[in-house]
Amino acid sequence: MYKIGELAEKVNVSKRTIDYYTQIGLLQVEKTSTSNYRLYSDKTVQDIRFIELCKELNMSLQEIKERMEIRRYKSLSEDEQDKCIKFAKLLAAHMKNLEVEIQELKPLFEQLNKDSQAKVTQQISSQSKSLIESLSLIMK
């Protein structure tokens, strides 16, 4: 179990960030000590790393929260089909948003010079690889 300062140091985020994530429901306090310290588990370490990965993919806090809820459902005895349907709906909505963003950015991309286009393509390619890996894990 980790106090907030210990957790912050372990995952390299500020105590304020952990406090904020807890307030908005992204993180859950495992228990409170007799001295009234909030204590977090090793699962919280994994949750923060997941949140930071989602932030790198430019997901909003609401999108991250939805994915965190799905991660939490894995440990519940909910019907597997319901979980898959809910996740598929969230994924479809996210993909639709990405399609709109791509269409909006396409004219700007076409105005870039070849070097800039190559740099953008390289950056997108690495993110696309991460997305494909994530999707393949989900579909297993």
Side-chain angles (χ1 to χ4, degrees):
M1 299 303 258
Y2 303 95
K3 292 180 187 175
I4 192 168
E6 297 166 337
L7 180 62
E9 188 174 318
K10 182 167 182 72
V11 295
N12 199 29
V13 299
S14 69
K15 292 189 284 187
R16 187 174 179 178
T17 297
I18 294 170
D19 189 41
Y20 179 66
Y21 288 167
T22 303
Q23 287 175 3
I24 64 172
L26 289 177
L27 299 178
Q28 297 175 338
V29 175
E30 191 71 29
K31 62 183 176 179
T32 306
S33 72
T34 54
S35 305
N36 228 15
Y37 287 106
R38 290 176 290 172
L39 299 175
Y40 297 91
S41 67
D42 284 325
K43 182 185 172 310
T44 309
V45 172
Q46 296 170 357
D47 288 345
I48 293 172
R49 290 185 176 139
F50 178 77
I51 292 166
E52 294 301 307
L53 174 66
C54 290
K55 284 173 51 180
E56 286 178 21
L57 296 173
N58 297 318
M59 290 184 189
S60 69
L61 288 177
Q62 182 59 40
E63 291 170 325
I64 296 171
K65 190 173 184 175
E66 290 168 352
R67 277 146 187 85
M68 294 295 292
E69 288 173 3
I70 291 169
R71 284 171 53 105
R72 288 184 186 122
Y73 284 144
K74 289 181 181 178
S75 64
L76 301 176
S77 60
E78 245 183 75
D79 181 41
E80 291 295 321
Q81 289 182 351
D82 290 342
K83 288 190 284 185
C84 289
I85 290 168
K86 183 174 182 175
F87 184 75
K89 287 179 182 177
L90 290 172
L91 185 58
H94 188 63
M95 290 174 68
K96 183 72 172 170
N97 290 337
L98 288 174
E99 284 179 45
V100 170
E101 288 180 31
I102 288 170
Q103 291 305 317
E104 291 172 352
L105 292 173
K106 191 173 180 179
L108 296 173
F109 178 79
E110 291 170 350
Q111 292 176 9
L112 296 174
N113 65 38
K114 294 290 183 194
D115 289 336
S116 295
Q117 284 182 355
K119 288 178 185 176
V120 170
T121 301
Q122 185 178 15
Q123 178 63 32
I124 290 173
S125 294
S126 65
Q127 290 178 346
S128 296
K129 289 175 190 173
S130 297
L131 178 61
I132 290 167
E133 289 174 14
S134 297
L135 287 172
S136 69
L137 288 173
I138 293 165
M139 298 305 204
K140 286 184 179 180

